[in-house]
Amino acid sequence: MAEVVEVLVPGGKATAGPPLGPSLGPLGINVKAVVDEINKKTATFNGMQVPVKIEVDAKKNFTISVGIPPTTALIKKEANIEKGSAEPNVKVAGNLPFEAAVRIANMKLEGMLSYELKTAVREVVGTCVSMGVTVDGKRAKDVLADIAAGKYDSVLVK
């Protein structure tokens, strides 16, 4: 029976320390080999927390599957900000291009509650509301209203 370890690691910068080392050590596998493989697979998500799943079978073989970082981490990267606003309705933390919201929605679509791109983009823009991030220079709530009114349908509905 396979053992499964699920952790959040910094993209491209995982180490044998916590949370990986203590979780993998008792399984009797080469922790350094696992860490090297994780770093290779998560290098494109540098600076973001990435969900990683490690499966170890009875013969001590391991397989690594890398998830998509949380929506907030993707928004921070695309908007080039360190963190969201402490006062989202008062202070603006950054600006996210609408095209980036569509890209993030496409990346996350499989794991979202939405079945369509339009609703997935609404989820991403909704996250911008709580982070204090504008979308194309407009308040995220206004962009949500525009999406609902169909102003972005040429981009979102295929």
Side-chain angles (χ1 to χ4, degrees):
M1 182 166 168
E3 295 272 349
V4 178
V5 176
E6 293 185 42
V7 291
L8 269 177
V9 298
K13 294 183 177 148
T15 65
L20 283 173
S23 302
L24 297 175
L27 301 179
I29 59 172
N30 183 341
V31 177
K32 183 178 180 343
V34 174
V35 169
D36 290 345
E37 183 75 17
I38 289 172
N39 285 336
K40 190 165 52 172
K41 288 187 173 191
T42 62
T44 57
F45 297 121
N46 190 9
M48 290 188 261
Q49 291 293 312
V50 184
V52 175
K53 184 176 177 181
I54 304 127
E55 292 183 51
V56 182
D57 65 19
K59 295 179 181 173
K60 306 296 181 211
N61 296 319
F62 63 87
T63 53
I64 296 170
S65 51
V66 176
I68 306 287
T71 304
T72 53
L74 295 169
I75 290 171
K76 287 191 283 190
K77 181 178 182 189
E78 289 283 350
N80 203 15
I81 57 175
E82 290 286 315
K83 60 183 183 174
S85 174
E87 301 174 60
N89 292 326
V90 180
K91 294 181 182 167
V92 174
N95 183 56
L96 182 73
F98 187 78
E99 300 78 38
V102 173
R103 259 195 319 275
I104 292 169
N106 274 318
M107 268 194 235
K108 299 286 291 183
L109 192 58
E110 199 174 292
M112 289 179 136
L113 298 173
S114 306
Y115 296 114
E116 299 170 354
L117 181 60
K118 184 175 182 175
T119 52
V121 171
R122 288 189 66 176
E123 282 188 48
V124 172
V125 174
T127 304
C128 289
V129 171
S130 62
M131 292 178 68
V133 173
T134 58
V135 178
D136 274 348
K138 294 167 35 179
R139 287 182 51 230
K141 284 186 178 182
D142 295 338
V143 175
L144 283 173
D146 289 347
I147 292 171
K151 292 185 179 176
Y152 290 98
D153 282 359
S154 61
V155 179
L156 301 175
V157 179
K158 292 180 173 40

